[in-house]
Amino acid sequence: MFKIRPRRLRKNSSIISLTQENWVKAEDLIYPVFVKSGSENQEIKSMPNIYRFSLDNLLREIEDSMALGIKAIALFPVVEEEFKTLSAEESYNPNSLNQKTIRAIKKRFPELILISDIALDPYTSHGHDGLIRDGKILNDETVKVLAMMALAQAEAGADIVAPSDMMDGRIGAIRQALDENNFFDTKIMSYTAKYKSNLYAPFRDALGSLGSKKSYDENSDIPKDKSSYQMNYANSREALRELELDIAEGADIVMVKPAGWYGDIIQTFKQNSTIPIAAYQVSGEYAMIYSAYQAGYIDLEPAIIESLTAIKRAGADLILSYFSRHCLRITQKIK
Ligand code: PBG
């Protein structure tokens, strides 16, 4: 008689790695970065080691990241209060901080893939992703502004535009606007299943968007949260509906967000589509892992690699992660 012995393949590290199914590699990582005006960097309190960079310092950070193997960044602007309005005009200003930063980055690093965010939350005075009238988020009016925003970013040189707002029909409207203006090669990475998560709080703190403002008036008719556009985290079939729509409307890459608690959704996307799947390990995931490490409860490096590998195992082709640089330093054994 014999015994089946799976442990044979766990005998030593060589056989373990020879039979490893999923790896996180530089080619799969997208590094999200924040740019601010002025010449000083600011550390983001709820995201240790992550900065709002001045443009000069951001260019240095990108150069250093590319030396580590990073091939793509996702850009988020920290917009000054004076440019935030109810109609978010700054979002499509060709000379906004975001558009100027795109131009400067692409001039210096033409081979870098630059992903630019499409959503109104950095630009609205209330911090919502949509225009508001009578206490309601306006879908179609918002989509018009998003299409203008996509054009301004494509003109500035963005390789990929990434709508993160969850308005209905925005992928089709953006594709149409890009096509009509001959931006046939500008890709759309859609935040397809973006859940209304508690894990975005550090990001909102970084940008000064919804919920982060001291001046926020509890008595206004502005919706208190994003539940009328971001998805209910209790649902999975609804994500498939969003997936079908985004593919039909011309998305090139579809995304699940957050990533770590949403492995089932990533797997569903993988099984039900033929285009690349991205997953966003969001600010709260970063903060949870980092603060557990700072408290002395877990080891940072193995936890980073485990968290990213689990997202790959679920089926993500691309991962947006604030740990991208940490990950590459770990895998390349750079201290
Ligand atoms: C909003 C937007 C959010 C993130 C990126 N763009 C979340 C939100 O405020 O709803 C979250 C990213 C993160 O938490 O790291 N357009």
Side-chain angles (χ1 to χ4, degrees):
M1 253 318 275
F2 62 89
K3 266 206 180 106
I4 304 290
R5 295 183 188 275
R7 286 187 58 210
R8 237 176 247 139
L9 299 181
R10 298 175 205 143
K11 216 79 203 172
N12 58 44
S13 62
S14 303
I15 192 66
I16 287 173
S17 63
L18 201 63
T19 56
Q20 179 163 331
E21 297 173 34
N22 295 288
W23 299 88
V24 181
K25 48 188 199 316
E27 286 76 4
D28 305 327
L29 292 171
I30 298 166
Y31 179 40
V33 293
F34 299 100
V35 67
K36 65 180 272 296
S37 58
S39 55
E40 301 290 310
N41 294 346
Q42 282 170 351
E43 190 164 9
I44 300 160
K45 221 176 54 234
S46 48
M47 301 177 75
N49 251 316
I50 300 292
Y51 295 84
R52 305 179 188 94
F53 285 112
S54 69
L55 179 54
D56 281 0
N57 289 325
L58 177 59
L59 292 173
R60 249 169 254 133
E61 173 81 359
I62 292 173
E63 184 167 30
D64 198 58
S65 303
M66 289 175 77
L68 280 171
I70 300 277
K71 310 243 181 294
I73 62 156
L75 178 67
F76 296 98
V78 181
V79 177
E80 306 253 339
E81 283 301 317
E82 58 181 300
F83 295 121
K84 301 190 184 201
T85 59
L86 288 173
S87 36
E89 291 93 344
E90 184 68 3
S91 62
Y92 51 87
N93 174 359
N95 294 312
S96 68
L97 172 67
N98 192 66
Q99 272 71 278
K100 278 197 272 195
T101 305
I102 295 175
R103 265 184 241 115
I105 294 174
K106 285 303 293 187
K107 185 163 176 222
R108 196 54 197 277
F109 309 106
E111 70 284 21
L112 178 79
I113 298 292
L114 196 155
I115 303 169
S116 185
D117 188 62
I118 298 194
L120 301 189
D121 55 313
Y123 302 98
T124 49
S125 27
H126 41 67
H128 272 289
D129 296 45
L131 305 176
I132 298 180
R133 195 186 313 126
D134 301 330
K136 297 269 184 297
I137 307 284
L138 304 172
N139 192 88
D140 298 5
E141 290 84 342
T142 299
V143 169
K144 288 201 183 92
V145 182
L146 297 175
M148 287 158 70
M149 193 175 176
L151 275 185
Q153 296 178 355
E155 268 156 19
D159 299 284
I160 302 182
V161 293
S164 66
D165 58 289
M166 289 303 277
M167 296 301 127
D168 293 333
R170 90 272 209 219
I171 302 302
I174 290 170
R175 186 71 269 166
Q176 189 181 341
L178 291 171
D179 279 1
E180 281 171 3
N181 289 276
N182 296 334
F183 290 110
F184 301 118
D185 290 332
T186 308
K187 293 158 266 296
I188 302 177
M189 178 167 83
S190 175
Y191 287 61
T192 297
K194 177 168 180 177
Y195 284 90
K196 178 183 166 289
S197 174
N198 292 289
L199 298 174
Y200 307 146
F203 176 95
R204 291 182 190 167
D205 186 30
L207 247 58
S209 62
L210 190 69
S212 69
K213 286 199 190 66
K214 286 184 209 72
S215 60
Y216 189 71
D217 178 4
E218 284 297 321
N219 300 317
S220 76
D221 66 355
I222 302 296
K224 302 280 175 284
D225 63 29
K226 300 193 180 185
S227 53
S228 79
Y229 45 108
Q230 297 182 349
M231 285 177 53
N232 179 353
Y233 55 70
N235 295 352
S236 61
R237 292 174 64 242
E238 191 182 351
L240 269 180
R241 188 172 194 221
E242 292 285 357
L243 177 67
E244 285 164 9
L245 286 170
D246 278 4
I247 291 174
E249 291 178 33
D252 299 289
I253 301 172
V254 285
M255 192 201 294
V256 175
K257 177 184 182 183
W261 290 347
Y262 294 79
D264 56 329
I265 307 299
I266 298 172
Q267 188 172 42
T268 300
F269 271 32
K270 190 66 165 228
Q271 289 164 349
N272 289 283
S273 67
T274 54
I275 61 176
I277 313 293
Y280 198 146
Q281 184 182 51
V282 299
S283 57
E285 297 178 76
Y286 179 90
M288 286 192 297
I289 293 171
Y290 214 105
S291 52
Y293 155 68
Q294 286 179 321
Y297 300 151
I298 63 173
D299 286 339
L300 184 61
E301 297 193 348
I304 290 172
I305 300 299
E306 180 182 348
S307 70
L308 294 171
T309 308
I311 296 166
K312 287 241 74 170
R313 190 190 64 227
D317 301 297
L318 312 169
I319 304 176
L320 294 96
S321 173
Y322 302 98
F323 282 128
S324 293
R325 287 169 53 97
H326 299 76
C327 169
L328 295 180
R329 268 193 251 108
I330 299 164
T331 51
Q332 295 163 21
K333 304 203 167 43
I334 305 168
K335 280 294 160 193

